[in-house]
Amino acid sequence: MVRCGAAVLRKYGNFIDDLRVYVRGGTGGMGHPRLGGEGGRGGDVWFVAQERMTLKGIKEKYPHKRFVAGTGANSSVRALKGEKGKDREVHVPPGISLVTDDGKQIGELNAAGERFLAARGGLGGSLATNFLPCKGQKRIIHLDLKLIADVGLVGFPNAGKSSLLSKISHAKPEIASYPFTTVQPELGKIMYADYKQISVADLPGLIEGAHVNRGMGHKFLKHIERTKQLLLVVDISGFQLSLKTQFRTAFETILLLTKELELYKEELVTKPALLAVNKMDLPCAKDNLNELMSQLQNPQDFLHLLEEEMIPANTLEFKEVIPVSTYTGEGIEELKACIRKSIDEEAERENEEYRKKKLLLLQTSQEEKMNGR
C-alpha cells in the first residue's frame, strides 16, 4: 500500500494547473535633452493562448519563470525618436485565468489566439520626464488552469470513471481496483460516425469534504467550472472509501456529490446533467437499480437517510439515467448517444437565445431610428 501511494504522488507531480510567474515590461529608452529627442517606449509582456501548450511545458522551458520585455532604444542624433523595445509573448494553454497574488482575477484566455497584456512597457525619456526613462510595469501573476471540456465526469473514487472514459473515447487512463486511480485530470474525445467530436474530462475522485479542500478538493472541483455539462458516475452497489468511513448507497452517493458541488460553487448544480449508473454486471444490480430509480423519482421521501448537514439544498435533475457496465459494455453506446443528444440540445438552445437577443437588438435599433425622426 505504501508503494502504491508513492506512485500516486509521483504521477500527480506530472500535472500542473497553477503556475506563479514574474512579468516585467521593458524600461523606456533615454531621451536626448540637447535635441529634445524622445526615447523609445519599453516592450510589453503578453500572454497568448495557444493549443497544445501546458503549464508543465512552460515551467520546464523557463525554470526561473521570469518574463521581461525589451528595453526601448535611446534617442540619438540619427534617430531622435527611439524605437519601441521588443515585446515578449508568453504562450499559455487555453482555459487560463490570470490571478494576482491577492487573489484578484485580472483576465482570462479561453480560446487559441486570445491575448492579454500582462505588463506594459515604461515610457521613454522625454521633456515630461526630464528625458529620463521610466521603468516598465512589474507584477506577479498566477496562471490558473481550468480544463475546458464539453462533459465533466464526476464521482467518488472507484466509481469506474476511468474505465468509462476508456470505453467511450480514445483516452487510455490508468485503471486499477484501488481508489484514487485518477490523480490528475484526463481528457478524451468521443468520436461519432459523422465526425462530430465531444471532449470529456475525467476528474479525480472527490471525497466527502472536497468543498473545504479535503483530498485536494479545490484543485479538482475548479476544473468542473468550465465543463458545459456534468456526467455523474455512481457505483450501483454503493461506495465506501475505507473501513473507517461510512458505507453510502448509490442514492446517498448522488446526494453527497451534489452537496459537494453546491458547497464549492452553487452554479455547478445548475449545469445540465446525466447520470451513468455503473457496474450493472454485479449481483443484485437490477434490484438496486429499481430501488435507485424510485428514490430519484421522489428524492424528498428519502432525504432522512442522510445527516441534515449532508443534504443538498437542491437535488440535481438528470436529463437521462443510463445503466452501464464498463466490464460487459452494456449501455455504452446508449450513453454515447445520450451525451450527443444532450450536447446538441444545449447548443440549439444557446443558438435560439442568441437569435432572440440579436432580433431584440435589431428591433430596439429600428425603434430608436423611428423615434429619432
Side-chain angles (χ1 to χ4, degrees):
M1 288 298 289
V2 173
R3 285 197 302 275
C4 176
V8 164
L9 287 173
R10 281 197 300 273
K11 185 172 173 62
Y12 184 77
N14 289 335
F15 181 77
I16 297 174
D17 54 11
D18 183 84
L19 191 65
R20 187 171 181 263
V21 299
Y22 171 86
V23 293
R24 178 164 62 81
T27 303
M30 287 287 293
H32 200 301
R34 188 165 59 84
L35 300 176
E38 188 176 321
R41 185 174 158 180
D44 304 319
V45 180
W46 292 85
F47 289 125
V48 183
Q50 187 177 66
E51 295 289 356
R52 301 192 179 182
M53 288 297 299
T54 65
L55 294 184
K56 180 174 180 283
I58 296 171
K59 186 179 179 182
E60 289 176 348
K61 190 173 181 181
Y62 308 102
H64 296 296
K65 297 173 286 183
R66 292 173 59 89
F67 302 98
V68 180
T71 302
N74 295 333
S75 173
S76 65
V77 175
R78 291 185 178 180
L80 286 179
K81 173 66 175 174
E83 286 190 11
K84 183 178 185 287
K86 188 176 181 181
D87 287 349
R88 182 70 185 270
E89 289 193 351
V90 184
H91 294 121
V92 299
I96 286 287
S97 292
L98 305 161
V99 183
T100 59
D101 250 358
D102 59 2
K104 182 184 176 184
Q105 183 173 321
I106 55 175
E108 58 182 24
L109 300 169
N110 293 321
E114 290 185 357
R115 299 164 62 85
F116 177 82
L117 179 58
R120 194 179 292 277
L123 295 173
S126 65
L127 183 62
T129 64
N130 202 23
F131 297 99
L132 296 173
C134 298
K135 291 183 178 180
Q137 181 184 18
K138 61 180 179 181
R139 60 192 351 180
I140 289 172
I141 295 177
H142 288 263
L143 305 178
D144 186 29
L145 175 66
K146 294 175 185 174
L147 294 179
I148 299 174
D150 296 311
V151 180
L153 300 184
V154 181
F156 283 141
N158 239 25
K161 301 191 310 302
S162 297
S163 299
L164 188 62
L165 183 68
S166 70
K167 289 289 184 183
I168 63 176
S169 75
H170 294 286
K172 302 203 181 308
E174 183 180 340
I175 298 168
S177 59
Y178 52 83
F180 296 111
T181 308
T182 306
V183 291
Q184 61 186 45
E186 295 273 359
L187 275 174
K189 284 190 182 291
I190 307 176
M191 313 287 286
Y192 293 92
D194 62 353
Y195 303 106
K196 167 84 173 181
Q197 297 182 20
I198 291 177
S199 57
V200 182
D202 173 20
L203 307 171
L206 301 177
I207 63 171
E208 292 178 39
H211 69 279
V212 291
N213 215 19
R214 196 171 294 162
M216 292 189 176
H218 287 182
K219 203 167 186 65
F220 303 144
L221 278 166
K222 72 175 187 178
H223 292 297
I224 302 171
E225 291 183 53
R226 287 191 180 170
T227 57
K228 294 177 184 174
Q229 303 198 10
L230 305 179
L231 175 57
L232 267 68
V233 184
V234 298
D235 184 336
I236 189 57
S237 61
F239 170 70
Q240 186 174 20
L241 182 63
S242 70
L243 294 174
K244 294 179 182 178
T245 58
Q246 191 173 339
F247 173 80
R248 302 295 189 184
T249 65
F251 177 68
E252 291 171 340
T253 300
I254 292 166
L255 292 180
L256 287 168
L257 286 170
T258 306
K259 184 70 174 179
E260 292 301 332
L261 295 174
E262 182 182 84
L263 288 172
Y264 176 71
K265 191 162 279 190
E266 214 169 312
E267 304 90 81
L268 293 180
V269 297
T270 64
K271 288 179 181 283
L274 301 172
L275 174 63
V277 183
N278 194 20
K279 306 190 182 181
M280 287 301 297
D281 53 285
L282 296 176
C284 302
K286 285 191 168 58
D287 293 338
N288 289 340
L289 179 64
N290 291 334
E291 183 182 359
L292 174 62
M293 293 305 290
S294 71
Q295 290 171 325
L296 289 173
Q297 285 168 5
N298 302 289
Q300 301 301 323
D301 296 343
F302 301 93
L303 294 181
H304 65 275
L305 297 172
L306 277 178
E307 301 90 335
E308 191 174 343
E309 64 271 15
M310 298 289 189
I311 299 171
N314 299 290
T315 52
L316 275 171
E317 291 187 16
F318 298 107
K319 297 178 76 172
E320 299 279 353
V321 178
I322 310 99
V324 300
S325 167
T326 55
Y327 181 72
T328 65
E330 174 192 344
I332 297 299
E333 291 305 315
E334 183 188 350
L335 175 61
K336 288 165 70 173
C338 286
I339 292 172
R340 171 69 183 270
K341 180 185 173 191
S342 181
I343 290 288
D344 287 349
E345 285 175 351
E346 203 58 27
E348 181 57 35
R349 187 184 66 79
E350 288 175 1
N351 288 338
E352 185 61 31
E353 286 180 0
Y354 177 75
R355 284 194 291 269
K356 285 179 180 176
K357 282 181 183 177
K358 291 288 283 184
L359 182 61
L360 184 62
L361 284 171
L362 183 63
Q363 289 172 343
T364 305
S365 175
Q366 288 175 342
E367 286 173 6
E368 287 175 351
K369 284 180 181 177
M370 293 290 288
N371 293 335
R373 290 178 183 176

